[in-house]
Amino acid sequence: AQSVTQPDIHITVSEGASLELRCNYSYGATPYLFWYVQSPGQGLQLLLKYFSGDTLVQGIKGFEAEFKRSQSSFNLRKPSVHWSDAAEYFCAVDVTGNQFYFGTGTSLTVIP
Amino acid sequence: GAGVSQTPSNKVTEKGKYVELRCDPISGHTALYWYRQSLGQGPEFLIYFQGTGAADDSGLPNDRFFAVRPEGSVSTLKIQRTERGDSAVYLCASSTRQGSAGELFFGEGSRLTVL
């Protein structure tokens, strides 16, 4: 079955530490890949996206993600986390050109 | 405003009642999407409009749910005979996409509570 998996429901990191959020997808072809962030009381905001080309993509707020075809993964990274990064993060894929499929999300807590 | 606007932001209703949720997309965006997000879950696709027509309504859970976009701009999601299980945040998104992948711009959502 087609799916998007975010294996980590909740992650806690210290401010200034590095971060990696995992995302795996299960589709026959390489989809378009996205990471969105959702802060309390706010709408989903696009962090970055991968369509083709360079497999390492840069996004806003210092985030980056790497597409690895062999692992069907699109993990999100940030070298140094800030307290304002605390939020819910969603990986999404677009395989049909019509709809996005979202993972269940990873909740990030940042401790001082 | 410049972003996707959704009203109401909160709606509390009783089981069995009819509910309408409105979405005003970014001006010029031809594609419009409705998603439903339950607590602790990712957004779940409901329906996608390209212009005035529903290009994909495969995510609508049953015939109590219906959405329209009569003039290709504002959309209304309509839920008949609401059930407690319909309680969720209903998200609207719009995009400039024309048959190819593009970024979705989301509204802040309408939180529906069915008592």
Side-chain angles (χ1 to χ4, degrees):
Chain A
Q2 299 175 337
S3 68
V4 181
T5 302
Q6 292 181 248
D8 304 306
I9 297 173
H10 185 235
I11 284 183
T12 299
V13 299
S14 298
E15 190 168 15
S18 64
L19 172 70
E20 183 170 28
L21 303 182
R22 295 182 289 167
C23 174
N24 292 92
Y25 64 90
S26 173
Y27 293 96
T30 299
Y32 301 120
L33 298 159
F34 304 79
W35 275 98
Y36 280 82
V37 60
Q38 187 176 38
S39 298
Q42 298 188 18
L44 288 153
Q45 180 184 23
L46 180 70
L47 284 176
L48 46 77
K49 58 189 176 185
Y50 172 78
F51 288 172
S52 64
D54 192 347
T55 57
L56 183 64
V57 293
Q58 303 297 320
I60 62 171
K61 303 183 181 184
F63 285 92
E64 66 178 26
E66 185 172 12
F67 168 57
K68 292 186 177 180
R69 185 188 307 273
S70 62
Q71 299 177 19
S72 296
S73 69
F74 188 56
N75 293 350
L76 182 71
R77 301 194 295 248
K78 185 168 184 177
S80 177
V81 170
H82 188 263
W83 65 267
S84 62
D85 293 325
E88 189 87 16
Y89 291 81
F90 293 95
C91 179
V93 303
D94 177 358
V95 293
T96 65
N98 284 345
Q99 56 176 283
F100 282 43
Y101 294 92
F102 285 83
T104 53
T106 298
S107 177
L108 174 66
T109 297
V110 180
I111 56 176
Chain B
V4 176
S5 176
Q6 291 188 246
T7 55
S9 55
N10 277 285
K11 176 69 176 180
V12 180
T13 191
E14 294 179 344
K15 181 176 178 295
K17 298 292 187 182
Y18 169 81
V19 166
E20 288 191 353
L21 306 175
R22 174 190 167 104
C23 173
D24 198 341
I26 293 173
S27 178
H29 281 194
T30 57
L32 185 145
Y33 301 76
W34 283 100
Y35 283 81
R36 178 170 68 176
Q37 187 174 20
S38 301
L39 192 63
Q41 300 295 317
E44 173 192 16
F45 171 79
L46 295 177
I47 187 169
Y48 157 58
F49 287 89
Q50 185 61 258
T52 60
D56 185 347
D57 65 357
S58 62
L60 295 177
N62 50 60
D63 61 5
R64 294 188 297 105
F65 288 76
F66 189 71
V68 296
R69 195 186 185 198
E71 298 179 356
S73 178
V74 172
S75 176
T76 304
L77 178 65
K78 307 181 180 190
I79 310 174
Q80 298 177 326
R81 304 182 303 281
T82 52
E83 300 177 357
R84 291 191 180 87
D86 298 335
S87 296
V89 176
Y90 289 82
L91 299 170
C92 178
S94 68
S95 172
T96 59
R97 64 193 296 158
Q98 295 280 347
S100 61
E103 176 183 353
L104 297 189
F105 294 83
F106 282 86
E108 295 184 10
S110 292
R111 181 178 298 278
L112 175 64
T113 303
V114 182
L115 301 178

